[in-house]
Amino acid sequence: MNWRMMLTLENLAYLRCACKQLRSLSYGKVHRTQWKPVLSSAYPMYPVQLHPQLWQPDTNSQVRLLTTKERKKSGKEKLQQIKTEVEKQEVEIMAKMTVEALAKAMHKDVDHIYKAMLNTEIDLDVIERDSVLDEEWIKQIIKKFGMKPRWAKLKEEKVKENKDAVRRPPPDPSLLTPKPPVVTILGHVDHGKTTLLDSLRKTQVAAMEAGGITQHIGAFLVQLPSGEKITFLDTPGHAAFSAMRARGTHVTDLVILVVAAEDGVMKQTVESIQHAKNAKVPIIVAINKCDKREADPDRVKKELLAHDVVCEEYGGDVQTIHISALKDDNLMALAEATVTLAEVLELKADFTGPVEGTIIESRTDKGKGPVTTAIIQRGTLRKGCILVAGKSWAKVRLMFDENGRVMEMASPGMPVEIVGWKEVPSAGEDILEVDSEQRAREVIDWRGYVEQQEKIKKDLEVIEAKQKEHTDSYKKKREGMINMTWRERQNALYKAKRHMCMRLKEKVTSDKNKLPIIIKGDVDGSVEAILNILDTYDADEECELDVLNFGIGDISENDLNLAETFQGVVYGFNVNASKSIQQLASKKDIKIKIHNIIYRLIEDLHEELSCTLPSTVEEHILGEAVILATFEVTVGKKKVPVAGCRVQKGQLEKKMKFKLIRNGDVIWSGYLSSLKHHQDDVPVVKTGMDCGLSLEKNVEFQVGDKIVCFNEKKIEQKISWNPGF
């Protein structure tokens, strides 16, 4: 039968086939011999819409169904159109592409790139947004998205001009002018360094120090009765502040080493000597606390010999002055020795030209903003000067001395507080004056560019090492598959892939101990000291210490939000937390711990780390008994096994836990259901007494088994990290 049918457009409006039959028919899944019953059943009750491949209007505005041949031809044309539409998209790639750059080239989100990397052997632990990807990794990721890579045309990259600011060449000696000596006071903690400075400038700094120890580097200008000026740098003696002491010696002209006469040479004394030698500056030894009965200055001098500090009494060139800073004994002799040594050294500086100096300390002040304490080494600093230091710059708005008085100018050798920085620069950075704000921005941009290039270089080294490791591992795997059949090889690859997926799953669901923390300090040096201590942390296997963020200034709401997100603890050193911040922290159940003594902060952190460790259970044996006979008693309708025992050691207490031991193995552990002496229920059975007992669980007793009574005590573990003090 010829099934070519002519349908008018009017009738077509009533043909609406319900159904899945016409849908499958329209894709050629129903043989045309089935068209008639389908259409006849639908007409005229249901309107029909036919697939474009099955009908086409003729010149008489009629619709005819296509033949099989015409339908196949039309289908091929449609498939060709589809093929052209789904051609693989090309992605322009180039060498040294970062994750972010690849996502941009693929028009994808960075998270999609990370998701694609999960299905590769790329180690995500070393990959950041700005990490450089290897060429093979780039191709793998693009392939995962069904795209294909295309190398971008190489562009000749222009060498970026060096815009950095540097120190000036050495000046003409004839232009130099005498300057005040910069003297750094070094020594062990609690040997009297700050008390010595107090006595020299008649102030009470030590009384204001938390815990009686110096925890900041300070710069002070002291004028002697003779009219001579000396700039003193007071450095912390605590073990935590090694970086501050090193910074102090690299801007100093000479060092006064303070050693307590009764303690002698201590650990930080030795370290201070080494700092002075590294800086190649002369030393004057001030033997302090000579007024004490147990003082022994000669022992101090002999101990110094072991560290190549030879005093004048032993034929060397190091002056030693016996003093008592607390009683002002012999301080003028120490000052005169300092001035004399400065004259011998002929300390001079260039007071003209652009300013050069070094930042001793930096902090954030609520009213002033970022503030730095600096020593000027060349040129004369005035208001309005444009300075750069590290990756920050400043237009000097105000200058203060150590007493908070406004200064109009600061010449070489003078300590000064500088206000006007855009951001807080790091302590230890060089200060350089530039011509204009535009020049300052050029310097900062260049330094940021150099830092980025160094990071890219380091990332490439890490990637190359990982790639080499991956290649070696791959070659080793393939070597073992040379003699395998294709089926064995595929099975091995399947197992390897499954193992990798299991590792990824374990990584995601890891429940390893972790303590996230946020560090806030009052000055840059304090934060640096705390971070240096945390660098010694070596107990990651017990609890991973994760420093989420660190900074200068009081604790803010942003710190709390970060701590809430990662369930962390906020540690503050010499900073404040307002009442609103404390209330918000209490509401969010966030711990804020503020300390003004650095070793108290570290002790607190040590305890917090220890609290993350699971407690261990320690058993204390109270008594032991041996089973001499076994029998059963009827309780209700049940028969309960009973052990007849004799207590051999200690005592059995019914409320405590018990163990049943057979041939050295613990068969059962739990509580007793009854403990009797003869016919009486008793709470305790002592050594030498006989008793009968039954367990809360029916366990078969044997003669010779041992019954042990014990109690359990939880023991809190301590983290194995030793910060060194």
Side-chain angles (χ1 to χ4, degrees):
M1 180 184 290
N2 185 4
W3 289 104
R4 184 182 297 270
M5 298 179 60
M6 302 301 292
L7 301 175
T8 64
L9 289 174
E10 286 182 352
N11 293 336
L12 188 62
Y14 295 100
L15 290 175
R16 217 157 167 195
C17 198
C19 356
K20 300 178 178 181
Q21 290 101 322
L22 275 185
R23 229 183 250 133
S24 59
L25 176 147
S26 65
Y27 285 98
K29 296 182 181 178
V30 179
H31 196 266
R32 63 183 180 179
T33 55
Q34 298 174 326
W35 294 359
K36 184 177 180 180
V38 172
L39 291 173
S40 62
S41 64
Y43 177 80
M45 304 288 293
Y46 304 99
V48 170
Q49 292 179 343
L50 294 179
H51 193 277
Q53 293 183 22
L54 299 177
W55 69 276
Q56 62 183 28
D58 60 8
T59 55
N60 297 322
S61 296
Q62 293 181 329
V63 177
R64 66 180 179 83
L65 296 179
L66 302 182
T67 63
T68 305
K69 189 175 181 180
E70 289 171 332
R71 184 159 38 82
K72 287 182 178 179
K73 184 179 179 182
S74 175
K76 286 179 182 178
E77 291 174 357
K78 186 68 177 178
L79 288 173
Q80 287 175 359
Q81 290 176 2
I82 293 171
K83 283 182 181 177
T84 56
E85 288 176 3
V86 296
E87 284 184 359
K88 286 188 177 180
Q89 183 183 343
E90 291 186 340
V91 180
E92 275 197 355
I93 63 171
M94 58 187 72
K96 300 181 181 179
M97 285 187 82
T98 62
V99 175
E100 200 164 6
L102 179 59
K104 190 175 180 181
M106 296 175 66
H107 304 290
K108 300 284 184 184
D109 191 78
V110 175
D111 292 336
H112 289 84
I113 305 299
Y114 280 114
K115 190 174 181 181
M117 285 192 284
L118 278 173
N119 298 319
T120 66
E121 295 188 9
I122 301 172
D123 187 0
L124 295 182
D125 290 338
V126 298
I127 302 296
E128 301 291 342
R129 289 175 71 97
D130 56 351
S131 296
V132 178
L133 295 171
D134 184 68
E135 179 187 331
E136 289 300 320
W137 294 358
I138 293 172
K139 290 179 179 178
Q140 283 184 41
I141 293 166
I142 292 172
K143 188 178 178 183
K144 292 291 179 186
F145 281 98
M147 302 177 181
K148 62 180 180 180
R150 175 170 58 83
W151 283 101
K153 292 183 180 179
L154 294 175
K155 296 178 182 178
E156 293 184 4
E157 190 175 333
K158 293 182 180 178
V159 178
K160 198 167 183 177
E161 184 182 354
N162 190 334
K163 297 283 186 179
D164 203 5
V166 294
R167 288 180 178 263
R168 291 180 283 158
D172 184 352
S174 62
L175 301 175
L176 300 180
T177 308
K179 73 175 186 70
V182 179
V183 180
T184 300
I185 298 181
L186 297 176
H188 193 74
V189 64
D190 199 31
H191 275 202
K193 301 182 296 299
T194 305
T195 306
L196 171 60
L197 269 178
D198 285 345
S199 299
L200 286 171
R201 61 183 185 145
K202 305 302 178 185
T203 58
Q204 294 296 323
V205 174
M208 296 182 288
E209 294 284 3
I213 63 171
T214 301
Q215 300 178 110
H216 303 100
I217 190 167
F220 314 99
L221 185 66
V222 176
Q223 187 164 357
L224 303 178
S226 60
E228 299 285 346
K229 292 182 179 179
I230 303 175
T231 296
F232 285 101
L233 296 184
D234 180 23
T235 59
H238 197 272
F241 298 98
S242 176
M244 286 191 191
R245 290 191 289 276
R247 207 159 46 239
T249 55
H250 281 85
V251 297
T252 194
D253 298 314
L254 57 98
V255 165
I256 293 179
L257 181 66
V258 179
V259 186
E262 83 278 22
D263 288 340
V265 175
M266 305 290 281
K267 186 176 181 180
Q268 270 68 59
T269 311
V270 176
E271 184 193 280
S272 299
I273 294 169
Q274 193 59 49
H275 284 320
K277 288 182 178 179
N278 293 341
K280 297 180 180 178
V281 292
I283 297 175
I284 296 175
V285 177
I287 302 178
N288 193 22
K289 304 184 182 181
C290 290
D291 56 313
K292 291 192 172 183
R293 290 183 181 179
E294 59 270 25
D296 189 354
D298 291 333
R299 178 172 67 91
V300 173
K301 296 173 187 177
K302 291 175 184 177
E303 289 177 352
L304 289 171
L305 286 172
H307 303 285
D308 297 328
V309 178
V310 184
C311 303
E312 290 178 337
E313 291 85 345
Y314 293 96
D317 56 356
V318 177
Q319 298 181 72
T320 55
I321 312 294
H322 298 185
I323 66 169
S324 171
L326 194 63
K327 295 185 176 181
D328 292 353
D329 292 346
N330 223 18
L331 295 188
M332 286 288 69
L334 177 62
E336 289 170 6
T338 304
V339 172
T340 302
L341 182 57
E343 289 175 354
V344 171
L345 295 173
E346 295 183 349
L347 301 174
K348 296 180 179 180
D350 182 8
F351 283 62
T352 61
V355 173
E356 295 177 8
T358 300
I359 294 176
I360 300 299
E361 192 57 275
S362 58
R363 72 180 195 278
T364 299
D365 188 276
K366 282 184 178 179
K368 302 173 185 176
V371 180
T372 60
T373 301
I375 297 291
I376 304 303
Q377 296 165 311
R378 192 173 181 183
T380 302
L381 182 65
R382 294 181 174 87
K383 289 181 184 179
C385 288
I386 309 297
L387 308 177
V388 293
K391 292 189 292 181
S392 181
W393 67 278
K395 183 174 182 179
V396 180
R397 292 192 290 112
L398 291 170
M399 296 184 297
F400 299 93
D401 63 11
E402 72 274 11
N403 297 314
R405 292 190 295 262
V406 176
M407 300 174 66
E408 295 298 325
M409 55 173 284
S411 54
M414 294 182 68
V416 59
E417 278 195 352
I418 303 170
V419 179
W421 295 95
K422 304 302 176 186
E423 295 178 6
V424 181
S426 298
E429 295 282 3
D430 289 338
I431 293 177
L432 299 173
E433 184 181 357
V434 294
D435 300 332
S436 62
E437 294 183 14
Q438 182 182 355
R439 173 70 180 125
R441 290 189 184 94
E442 287 178 354
V443 173
I444 301 308
D445 290 344
W446 168 258
R447 290 178 178 179
Y449 169 76
V450 170
E451 185 180 0
Q452 184 184 15
Q453 294 301 309
E454 288 176 355
K455 187 179 186 308
I456 288 173
K457 186 178 178 182
K458 289 179 181 177
D459 286 347
L460 282 173
E461 290 174 358
V462 173
I463 287 169
E464 286 172 3
K466 289 283 182 183
Q467 185 182 8
K468 186 177 183 302
E469 182 183 344
H470 170 67
T471 305
D472 294 343
S473 175
Y474 178 76
K475 286 180 179 178
K476 190 175 180 181
K477 287 178 184 176
R478 299 302 295 180
E479 285 174 3
M481 295 182 182
I482 293 174
N483 299 323
M484 291 184 181
T485 63
W486 70 270
R487 191 181 295 278
E488 291 171 337
R489 191 158 47 249
Q490 290 298 322
N491 191 33
L493 290 171
Y494 170 75
K495 286 182 179 178
K497 189 174 181 181
R498 185 180 176 187
H499 177 64
M500 186 183 73
C501 292
M502 291 289 288
R503 284 176 57 197
L504 282 171
K505 187 176 179 182
E506 287 173 5
K507 187 176 178 181
V508 172
T509 59
S510 175
D511 56 351
K512 185 178 179 180
N513 276 343
K514 192 180 215 180
L515 179 63
I517 63 171
I518 297 168
I519 304 293
K520 296 300 287 288
D522 55 343
V523 296
D524 188 67
S526 299
V527 177
E528 177 192 29
I530 294 169
L531 293 178
N532 285 340
I533 297 170
L534 299 187
D535 283 342
T536 67
Y537 186 74
D538 55 359
D540 280 329
E541 292 182 359
E542 300 170 43
C543 178
E544 184 180 341
L545 180 61
D546 183 15
V547 180
L548 297 174
N549 193 22
F550 57 87
I552 304 168
D554 291 340
I555 295 167
S556 65
E557 189 174 343
N558 289 336
D559 298 324
L560 298 187
N561 292 336
L562 187 61
E564 182 186 23
T565 303
F566 292 94
Q567 298 179 346
V569 181
V570 182
Y571 279 94
F573 180 71
N574 276 334
V575 296
N576 296 318
S578 64
K579 285 186 178 179
S580 59
I581 291 294
Q582 291 178 11
Q583 290 171 358
L584 184 61
S586 177
K587 184 179 178 181
K588 294 185 174 184
D589 196 23
I590 296 169
K591 292 181 183 177
I592 295 180
K593 301 193 173 185
I594 299 175
H595 297 271
N596 56 10
I597 301 175
I598 193 166
Y599 58 81
R600 297 290 184 208
L601 186 149
I602 300 303
E603 287 173 0
D604 192 313
L605 177 60
H606 195 279
E607 290 177 8
E608 194 69 32
L609 286 163
S610 299
C611 288
T612 64
L613 303 179
S615 57
T616 58
V617 178
E618 192 174 272
E619 293 183 358
H620 292 277
I621 296 176
L622 302 176
E624 294 180 3
V626 64
I627 296 177
L628 303 177
T630 63
F631 49 91
E632 291 182 344
V633 295
T634 302
V635 179
K637 295 182 179 180
K638 293 182 179 180
K639 290 186 177 181
V640 178
V642 176
C645 308
R646 178 171 294 162
V647 181
Q648 295 181 325
K649 188 188 297 183
Q651 61 185 22
L652 306 186
E653 299 180 26
K654 185 180 178 182
K655 291 183 179 180
M656 297 299 170
K657 291 190 75 174
F658 287 79
K659 287 190 291 188
L660 176 64
I661 299 175
R662 182 177 299 156
N663 299 326
D665 297 327
V666 178
I667 304 300
W668 167 88
S669 179
Y671 293 91
L672 300 182
S673 60
S674 67
L675 177 64
K676 294 191 177 188
H677 178 61
H678 301 305
Q679 300 297 323
D680 301 325
D681 289 323
V682 291
V684 177
V685 181
K686 296 182 179 180
T687 305
M689 295 175 63
D690 293 335
C691 63
L693 55 85
S694 60
L695 312 180
E696 62 179 2
K697 182 181 177 182
N698 290 341
V699 179
E700 184 181 349
F701 295 113
Q702 290 185 11
V703 175
D705 288 351
K706 186 184 289 186
I707 297 289
V708 176
C709 176
F710 65 95
N711 65 0
E712 294 178 335
K713 186 178 180 181
K714 287 187 177 181
I715 305 296
E716 300 296 333
Q717 293 191 69
K718 293 289 183 183
I719 202 81
S720 61
W721 173 46
N722 181 14
F725 54 85

